[in-house]
Every structure is written in C-alpha cells, then in structure tokens.
C-alpha cells in the first residue's frame, strides 16, 4: 500500500513538472514515505532524518518532506524533532500534494496536512508505476476493525471503498498500456463493497477485473479471514486469470490470544477457511502474517501457533515481534513479554517455517511451470526471475527479450524462498 502511495505521489510530481532522479544529491525535493506499523520503522525514519543532508549529500536549499502513516500520527511534532523537514503530508492527504508542494516552493518553511481527506482519496492519480508489467490498483482504504495491536485504523482512517466503475476503468486503462498483472489493494481488501451498488461482492469484482481483455493475472492483498468466503475460492477455481494464491493473515494460532487481539475469529474458524481453500480444484498457495510475543502470550499459546503452522503448511509467512503502538488498545496491556523472549520465539518460528518451505518447495522439482518474467534475478544478475501464478519465484537463465512475457520453465532446484529452473519455451 505504501509502495503504491509512493507511485501516486511520484506521478503527481511528474505532472507538476518534476523529474525523478536516482541520485538524491541532484534533488530539489526529497520525500520520504514512512511506515508506522511497528516502532522500529518509526525510529529508523528519525535516525535517517538526523543525518539526511550529509548522508544524501543534498544540495543547499533542497526541500525535505515526510509522507505516510508516521507523518499522519506524529503531525506537527515532526517539525520539532526534525527541524530540517519542510513538508509533512499524512497518508490520506496525497490529493493535496500539488497545493502543498507549491507552498514549499514559495518558501513557506513548514507546510503540513494531516487531515483525513475521505472525499478525494480515490481520485485517479497520474501514477509513476515502478514495474512495467504489474500494477497496483487501490480498491479500498482504511479499516474499522481496531485489532488491539494495530495503528492502521488511526493512521488510515475508517474503511472506505472505491466505486467499481473507477476500479474497472483504471484496470482497463492498465490493460491498454500493456500491463499483464493487476494487484488489487486494500487493508481488508475483501471487505470491499461497491458504494454505487453496481457490483454485488468482492468475489464478483475479482471476476470482472479478470475478464478485462489483456489482463492475464489478478491478485489481491490482504483479505481479512472473517470476510473470506467460499465465493472467493470459487472465482479462483473457475477464472484462470485469478491467481491461485491467497495471503490470509492469522496473527496467532491460539484462540485465547486471538480474542485478546480482537481478531473476531477463533483458531477453528480460521482453519475452516483454510480447509475450503485447500479443497479447491486448483491448488492454492497460502501465506500469512504472524505476530509473536503479544502481551500475555504463554509458551503454550506460542506452541499453538507452531502447531497451526504445521497443520496449514504455509508456502510463506511474514512474522514479527509484537511492537507496542501508542494509542492502540494493547498498548496499555500490562503482561508484556520481554524483548529477549520475543526474539527467541521469533527465531524458533522462522526456523520452523524454513523447514516447512524447504519441504514444500521440493515437490516442484521436475515440474514444468508457467511464469511471468519480471526482472533480473536477485541471486545472479545475469539470470532472470519470474513468478508462477502461485507467486513462487523462479530464477533461470534466458534472454532479456523475455521480460514482461510468459515463459515455461522446468524446475531444477529449490531453496526455502525460491526455485531454480531452466527455460523450456
Ligand atoms: N506489532 C507487530 N506486528 C504488527 N503488525 C501490525 N501491527 C503490529 C504490531 N503492533 C503486523 C500484522 C499485520 C502486518 C501488516 O503487520 O501481522 O498483518
Ligand atoms: Fe490492522 Fe488489519 Fe486489524 Fe485492520 S484488520 S486493525 S488493518 S490488523
């Protein structure tokens, strides 16, 4: 979501006449987009701001701005903590960027907007998309769920859905520009409801986007388990363009912890969803988010998370140490888990998952898979990388003319996080 916000802001600046540069020392305006979901991200920004002018060798007079959820939460305090900042724009105010940047250009020393602008949020921005083959499309923003650990409802504001005709017209435009893949975005993407009432459900929207000529792949992230219904699985089963991959954040395998997190599902209810996902006619890859060391999490609760992972056998996970966030309900919980213990649990969990991924990836060896070739391999820049419909990364050697095209590769080797393959056609 943040990454896509940066694309929107960059596009807006380009229409204002700015030219992007890879070299900060050349920049007249440097904007940092920030995340506030865990404390570490917050701290990183302040330490970076402290030495910004020296470490980026900014030219004299260059202006600095802070965007994103941290800007939203900290507001005017940022000017006190970081006097070198000229502009602060919260995560719901990007449509005001032209006016705000104009003020900075006129020499106003401290310009700020952290209003939660709901009306202009879904305006179509000129976007400077980073990947020429895959594009993000925002379909909803914000969240009303108030999980006890999470700042998102405060930083991104209440849940708002974008009108289906705007979503579909952006997707058609992307198809006409040659994009192959669309990723529908929203904090709880499957809670989307058409404000105009034209399209009945998220599952229907998924189908409608996939039917657009020229769009070969559609993904979505992240759905909330409580709104995840068999209708979505049916669409994945029946519409080949909808990728067979689901990221379904669980957060914990213990019903007791889930309750304290205010996740509004139990372990069993989550597993029932996993069950219908696993019974689908097409094999659907599953990934998740997990937090360890939530206040009051006992060793037994933690072991329940491990046993859930053993039961589901995720294709990949994102795992985090619980980070207390001011303003959230859990911030005042008194049974905090010591940092060292959180670290211990995280290491055990990640090692456990590494083994599961190794075992799961082994089954692909010898298989022929279709990939969208997306770029250079991170392992060896002479090689290319692509992703399967299940979002598995395959590195292989092939000509750069394949970039942005579909190719078939045979899997020859594997590691926990990627596969190695050879080009067939
Ligand atoms: N501490 C640790 N992880 C968090 N997440 C959200 N809030 C916190 C927090 N306070 C994780 C959740 C969420 C992902 C985007 O970030 O797992 O799904
Ligand atoms: Fe945060 Fe997701 Fe919970 Fe909303 S549903 S509060 S975004 S973790």
């Amino acid at each position: 979501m943040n990454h896509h916000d940066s694309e929107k802001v960059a596009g807006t600046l380009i229409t204002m006449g700015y030219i992007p540069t890879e070299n900060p020392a050349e920049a007249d305006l440097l904007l940092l987009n920030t995340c506030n979901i865990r404390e570490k991200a917050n701290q990183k920004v302040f330490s970076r701001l402290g030495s910004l002018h020296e470490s980026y060798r900014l030219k004299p007079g260059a202006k600095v701005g802070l965007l994103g959820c941290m800007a939203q939460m900290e507001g005017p305090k940022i000017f006190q903590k970081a006097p070198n900042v000229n502009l602060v724009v919260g995560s719901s105010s990007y449509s005001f960027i032209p006016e705000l940047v104009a003020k900075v250009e006129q020499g106003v020393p401290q310009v700020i907007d952290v209003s939660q602008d709901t009306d202009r949020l879904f305006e179509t921005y000129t976007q400077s998309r980073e990947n020429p083959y895959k594009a993000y499309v925002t379909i909803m923003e914000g969240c009303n769920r108030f999980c006890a650990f999470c700042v998102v409802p405060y930083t991104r504001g209440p849940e708002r859905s974008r009108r289906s005709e705007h979503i579909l017209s952006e997707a058609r435009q992307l198809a006409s520009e040659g994009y192959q893949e669309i990723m529908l975005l929203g904090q709880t993407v499957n809670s989307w409801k058409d404000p105009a009432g034209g399209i009945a459900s998220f599952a229907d929207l998924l189908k409608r986007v996939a039917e657009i000529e020229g769009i070969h792949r559609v993904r979505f992230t992240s759905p909330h388990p409580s709104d995840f219904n068999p209708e979505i699985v049916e669409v994945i089963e029946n519409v080949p363009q909808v990728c067979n991959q689901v990221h379904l954040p669980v957060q914990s395998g213990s019903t007791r912890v889930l309750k304290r997190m205010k996740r509004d599902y139990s372990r069993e209810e989550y597993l029932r969803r996993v069950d219908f996902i696993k019974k689908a006619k097409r094999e659907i890859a599953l990934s998740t988010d997990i937090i360890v060391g939530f206040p009051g999490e006992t060793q037994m609760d933690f072991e329940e998370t491990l046993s859930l992972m053993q039961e589901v056998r995720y294709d990949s996970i994102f795992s985090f140490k619980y980070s207390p966030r001011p303003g959230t309900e859990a911030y005042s919980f008194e049974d905090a888990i010591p940092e060292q213990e959180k670290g211990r649990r995280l290491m055990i969990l990640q090692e456990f998952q590494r083994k599961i991924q190794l075992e799961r990836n082994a089954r692909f060896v010898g298989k022929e898979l279709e990939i969208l070739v997306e770029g250079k391999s991170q392992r060896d820049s002479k090689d290319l990388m692509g992703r399967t419909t299940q979002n598995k990364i395959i590195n292989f050697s092939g000509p750069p003319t394949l970039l942005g095209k579909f190719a078939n590769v045979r899997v020859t080797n594997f590691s926990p996080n990627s596969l190695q393959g050879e080009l067939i056609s």
Side-chain angles (χ1 to χ4, degrees), residues 35-39 147-152 187 222 247-252 261 263 288-292 294 318-325 328 330 342:
C35 172
N36 188 21
I37 199 128
R38 283 168 292 273
E39 194 185 357
C147 297
F149 53 80
C150 184
V151 285
V152 166
Q187 260 85 29
S222 292
H247 181 73
L248 198 62
V250 66
Q251 313 299 359
S252 167
M261 287 177 162
R263 285 293 288 180
T288 199
D289 291 345
I290 294 176
I291 297 175
V292 298
F294 186 74
F318 294 99
S319 51
F320 315 98
K321 285 194 280 187
Y322 167 69
S323 166
R325 308 305 296 125
T328 61
K342 286 191 218 169

Side-chain angles (χ1 to χ4, degrees), residues 206-217:
L206 207 52
K207 201 156 75 190
R208 290 285 295 276
V209 174
E211 280 164 6
I212 294 172
E213 208 179 308
I215 296 299
H216 295 108
R217 283 184 171 182

Side-chain angles (χ1 to χ4, degrees), residues 145-243:
R145 289 185 177 269
F146 291 92
C147 297
F149 53 80
C150 184
V151 285
V152 166
Y154 308 94
T155 54
R156 295 273 175 178
E159 182 184 303
R160 294 83 89 193
S161 291
R162 191 175 179 198
R163 294 168 74 93
S164 58
E165 71 261 32
H166 294 167
I167 298 170
L168 293 173
S169 97
E170 186 173 336
R172 275 188 222 106
Q173 174 69 25
L174 290 165
S176 74
E177 290 170 13
Y179 288 92
Q180 309 271 359
E181 182 175 316
I182 283 182
M183 167 78 96
L184 302 178
L185 286 182
Q187 260 85 29
T188 54
V189 74
N190 54 332
S191 311
W192 177 85
K193 280 174 207 72
D194 194 350
I199 291 186
S201 66
F202 170 72
D204 283 350
L205 176 72
L206 207 52
K207 201 156 75 190
R208 290 285 295 276
V209 174
E211 280 164 6
I212 294 172
E213 208 179 308
I215 296 299
H216 295 108
R217 283 184 171 182
V218 183
R219 301 185 197 272
F220 57 92
T221 203
S222 292
H224 192 283
S226 299
D227 284 337
F228 200 93
N229 52 36
E231 235 190 292
I232 302 173
V233 175
E234 265 169 48
V235 173
I236 300 177
E237 279 180 323
N238 297 319
V239 184
Q241 293 91 324
V242 179
C243 293

